[in-house]
């Protein structure tokens, strides 16, 4: 095995195989290479059996890539590394073998998110609770199980009605189905290892060495499982607490930060040289993240000199998007940087719309990560269907989409009766009117349809932004949004999309004009239906990627950092306040991740007016020293 390309610190981390070891690795410092070479070192030079090495990654893709690298480095087939897995995959392998100890039958099934929501809808109906509590119930159950102490978590959780009975009945439904949900995989594996010492000892003997990548993203229960499996302290964890951005999923970066305190004999290796980005980008990012009080200190550096980071201020988001699009063309045309090496990163999904418009208008190809194109998102298409049904009663696809959205008791049987009422050349909406007149449907359904038809009639002459707002409130689409949202963050994201849509619509004179413009943007297949081009992405979806050119856009207070992460101001003095602000520190880590995606050119942009509202610059801009920046104001 050749390790000629490893640095001195990487080589030292590879060769350290006695006792707990933590490798704190800055962005672009080669942490995965180090981890992979360490596994190869254990196998090829220290004769560790590869099937007795547990190596945990956080995605199936990362696990597959690691196995491929190990195959190339060690010369052994992938099958020799059966325990290179994600946490959930490794735990499910244990759970399915021993599930009978917990009262399950083999084979046990895994119920996915949609099946989980189906169970919970039945639970809510059983307790006569409104469907608007669905996303809160999903969130509570997931966080409860990942806390490692679900019953106490449920007791402390918010104001969800009948939360304990809800949690209990949901789990009883799973058990009757001989199934577990995704979060059960960890919880039940922990329980097996806790309750059955002989099983725990078997796996402790089975794993001669444990290695964990992205350790900063582990949660409480994952750490419990590691403790239960660990034998003789043979543990290496790798990660970067500066890039811990999954607190909303239960990740706790303090497990990483406090590792040396938990394992007093732990050896610490710092990978501080960034091989990806220029010295200016690395130093600016490092200075920014130094404002976080909770971190494992390291001083990152790069030997690559580059240009200053450009900060550009615009009067509004449209001007911002047009300028960014022009710069993308410049980089592609004059510096011959492939469009695929350019990324536009943003904190929240609604931000994408002005950039989608500008890129399409300029015929710049692009692809999207972390979200669908704006006008293809479910909530946008639902409300568009209302608008189209109002101005074009013969649009049957639109009308059929909204017939039961939100639900008004119209299932397949009711739709069949409506179609029977349909005469030649009659639209579905006209047939619906005929059904209500002839009272062929149940009274409650008939009354709901009459309300819908009257509403559409009053809607068609409204200004487009007024029409959207009326659909959202008068048709109770807000409640429907709560029901379909996966969790509170998902609801807020969808709600932000609708607010962006209202602002976008306010620039058009009529519903017809607005719908035409949206349709043309949506259907311009030549530009966006390709996997190549400029990458439009949320910051979360860009983690782990790198680009020659990065634009971090919408750098305003309330966007990045996000408004829900900012503590409200109080009238009381804050002399006794703890400096630690968990929400803002997580947002600052997001900014750090975004900045370190860039290898050569980094642009930071903001608008003085977004969605028709005045904004203030992000506090993170002030935390980057001016000598790293080149400032431009676009008027």
């Amino acid at each position: 095995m050749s390790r000629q390309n490893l640095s001195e610190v990487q080589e030292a981390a590879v060769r350290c195989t006695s006792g707990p070891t933590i490798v704190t690795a800055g962005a672009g410092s080669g942490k995965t290479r180090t981890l992979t070479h360490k596994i190869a070192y254990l196998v090829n030079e220290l004769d560790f059996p590869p099937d007795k090495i547990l190596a945990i990654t956080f995605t199936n893709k990362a696990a597959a890539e690691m196995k491929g690298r190990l195959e190339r480095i060690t010369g052994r087939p992938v099958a020799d590394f059966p325990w290179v897995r994600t946490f959930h995959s490794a735990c499910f392998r244990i759970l399915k073998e021993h599930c009978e100890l917990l009262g399950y039958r083999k084979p046990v099934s895994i119920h996915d998110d949609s099946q989980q929501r189906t169970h919970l809808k039945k639970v809510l109906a059983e307790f006569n609770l409104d469907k608007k509590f669905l996303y809160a119930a999903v969130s509570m159950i997931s966080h409860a199980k990942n806390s490692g102490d679900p019953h106490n978590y449920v007791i402390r959780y918010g104001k969800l009605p009948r939360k304990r009975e809800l949690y209990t009945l949901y789990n009883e439904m799973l058990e009757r189905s001989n199934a577990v949900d995704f979060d059960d995989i960890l919880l039940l594996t922990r329980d097996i290892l806790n309750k059955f010492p002989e099983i725990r000892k078997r796996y402790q003997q089975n794993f001669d060495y444990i290695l964990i990548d992205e350790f900063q993203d582990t949660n409480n229960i994952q750490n419990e499982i590691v403790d239960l499996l660990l034998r003789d302290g043979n543990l290496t964890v790798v990660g970067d607490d500066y890039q811990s951005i999954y607190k909303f999923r239960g990740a706790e970066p303090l497990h990483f930060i406090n590792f040396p305190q938990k394992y007093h004999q732990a050896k610490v290796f710092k990978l501080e040289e960034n091989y990806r980005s220029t010295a200016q980008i690395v130093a600016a990012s490092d200075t920014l993240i130094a404002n976080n009080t909770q971190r494992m200190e390291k001083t990152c550096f790069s030997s690559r000199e580059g240009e200053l980071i450009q900060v550009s201020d615009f009067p509004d988001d449209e001007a911002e998007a047009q300028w960014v699009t022009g710069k993308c063309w410049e980089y592609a045309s004059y510096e011959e940087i492939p469009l695929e090496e350019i990324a536009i990163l943003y904190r929240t999904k609604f931000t994408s719309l002005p950039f989608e418009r500008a890129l399409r208008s300029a015929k710049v190809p692009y692809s999207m990560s972390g979200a669908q194109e704006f006008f293809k998102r479910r909530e946008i298409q639902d409300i568009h269907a209302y608008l189209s049904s109002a101005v074009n009663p013969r649009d049957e696809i639109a009308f059929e989409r909204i017939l039961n959205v939100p639900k008004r008791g119209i299932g397949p049987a009711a739709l069949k009766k409506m179609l029977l009422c349909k005469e030649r050349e009659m639209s579905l909406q006209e047939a619906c009117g005929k059904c209500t007149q002839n009272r062929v449907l149940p009274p409650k359904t008939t009354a709901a349809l009459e309300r819908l038809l009257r509403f559409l009639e009053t809607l068609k002459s409204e200004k487009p932004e007024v029409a959207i707002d009326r659909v959202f409130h008068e048709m109770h689409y807000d409640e429907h949004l709560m029901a379909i949202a996966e969790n509170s963050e998902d609801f807020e994201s969808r709600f932000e999309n609708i607010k962006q849509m209202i602002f976008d619509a306010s620039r058009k004179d009529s519903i017809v004009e607005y719908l035409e413009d949206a349709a043309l943007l949506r259907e311009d297949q030549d530009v966006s239906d390709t996997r190549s081009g400029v990458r439009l992405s949320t910051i979360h979806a860009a983690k782990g990627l790198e680009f020659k050119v990065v634009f971090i856009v919408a750098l305003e207070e309330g966007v990045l950092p996000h408004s829900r992460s900012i503590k409200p101001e109080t009238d009381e003095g804050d002399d006794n306040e703890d400096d630690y602000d968990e929400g803002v520190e997580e947002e600052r880590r997001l900014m750090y991740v975004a900045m370190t995606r860039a290898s050569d050119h980094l642009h930071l942009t903001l608008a003085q007016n977004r969605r028709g509202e005045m904004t203030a610059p992000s506090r993170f801009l002030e935390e980057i020293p001016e000598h790293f920046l080149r400032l431009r104001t676009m008027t």
Side-chain angles (χ1 to χ4, degrees), residues 237-433:
V237 301
V238 179
D240 182 9
D241 56 294
Y242 293 4
Q243 298 186 68
S244 182
I245 58 174
Y246 297 114
K247 189 78 174 181
F248 66 97
R249 294 180 186 169
E252 180 46 79
L254 288 178
H255 290 304
F256 185 92
I257 295 168
N258 294 333
F259 188 92
Q261 285 72 50
K262 180 177 180 180
Y263 300 98
H264 297 296
Q265 304 302 315
K267 298 178 180 64
V268 180
F269 294 90
K270 296 182 180 183
L271 305 186
E272 297 173 308
E273 182 170 4
N274 184 312
Y275 300 101
R276 173 194 303 151
S277 305
T278 64
Q280 287 77 7
I281 293 171
V282 173
S285 305
D286 218 42
T287 306
L288 171 83
I289 202 66
N291 287 280
N292 273 12
T293 59
Q294 297 280 2
R295 71 187 193 283
M296 182 177 284
E297 282 196 46
K298 54 183 176 289
T299 303
C300 297
F301 66 94
S302 169
S303 59
R304 290 182 57 225
E305 283 299 318
E307 64 184 25
L308 295 175
I309 298 165
Q310 182 168 319
V311 179
S312 302
D313 188 358
F314 300 90
D316 55 40
D317 48 1
E318 186 175 358
E320 176 191 35
Q322 289 174 349
W323 182 84
V324 169
T325 298
K327 289 296 292 184
C328 290
W329 260 132
E330 284 183 27
Y331 279 118
S333 301
Y334 301 118
E335 300 195 30
E336 298 183 347
I337 294 175
L339 291 174
E340 295 76 24
E341 291 287 337
I342 303 173
I344 300 170
L345 306 182
Y346 40 83
R347 171 64 175 88
T348 52
K349 295 175 183 177
F350 81 85
T351 317
S352 73
L353 181 56
F355 298 93
E356 290 181 59
R357 282 192 178 282
L359 289 165
R360 283 180 183 266
S361 178
K363 302 298 181 186
V364 178
Y366 69 88
S367 61
M368 296 193 72
S369 300
Q372 289 177 300
E373 293 178 62
F374 187 85
F375 286 118
K376 292 183 179 179
R377 295 169 194 170
R378 177 177 176 177
E379 59 277 9
I380 305 302
Q381 292 198 55
D382 282 347
I383 293 182
H384 278 187
Y386 270 95
L387 303 186
S388 185
S389 297
V391 298
N392 180 12
R394 303 198 69 81
D395 188 340
E396 299 202 356
I397 293 176
F399 187 67
E400 188 170 341
R401 183 181 183 108
I402 66 170
L403 263 175
N404 208 38
V405 176
K407 290 185 178 179
R408 41 178 74 88
I410 302 171
L415 182 59
K416 186 176 180 181
K417 289 180 180 180
M418 292 170 63
L419 292 172
L420 288 173
C421 290
K422 189 177 177 183
E423 298 174 358
R424 187 177 180 181
E425 302 299 325
M426 183 180 283
S427 70
L428 180 60
Q429 194 171 149
E430 290 169 331
C432 178

Side-chain angles (χ1 to χ4, degrees), residues 542-609:
K543 185 174 182 289
L545 303 179
E546 59 181 87
F547 305 90
K548 285 188 179 298
V549 183
V550 168
F551 297 88
I552 308 175
V553 301
L555 279 173
E556 300 125 23
E557 285 290 295
V559 180
L560 181 61
H562 197 280
S563 55
R564 67 168 171 262
S565 302
I566 301 172
K567 286 181 179 179
E569 294 184 4
T570 62
D571 294 330
E572 299 175 7
D574 59 357
D575 292 343
N576 296 322
E577 293 270 335
D578 193 328
D579 288 338
Y580 178 53
D581 187 334
E582 182 178 37
V584 169
E585 295 217 349
E586 171 103 348
E587 295 290 299
R588 190 176 286 111
R589 293 195 292 268
L590 261 178
M591 180 68 176
Y592 176 87
V593 166
M595 292 175 70
T596 54
R597 296 314 91 201
S599 64
D600 291 67
H601 308 281
L602 178 59
H603 293 267
L604 311 178
T605 72
L606 64 154
Q608 299 165 21
N609 186 298

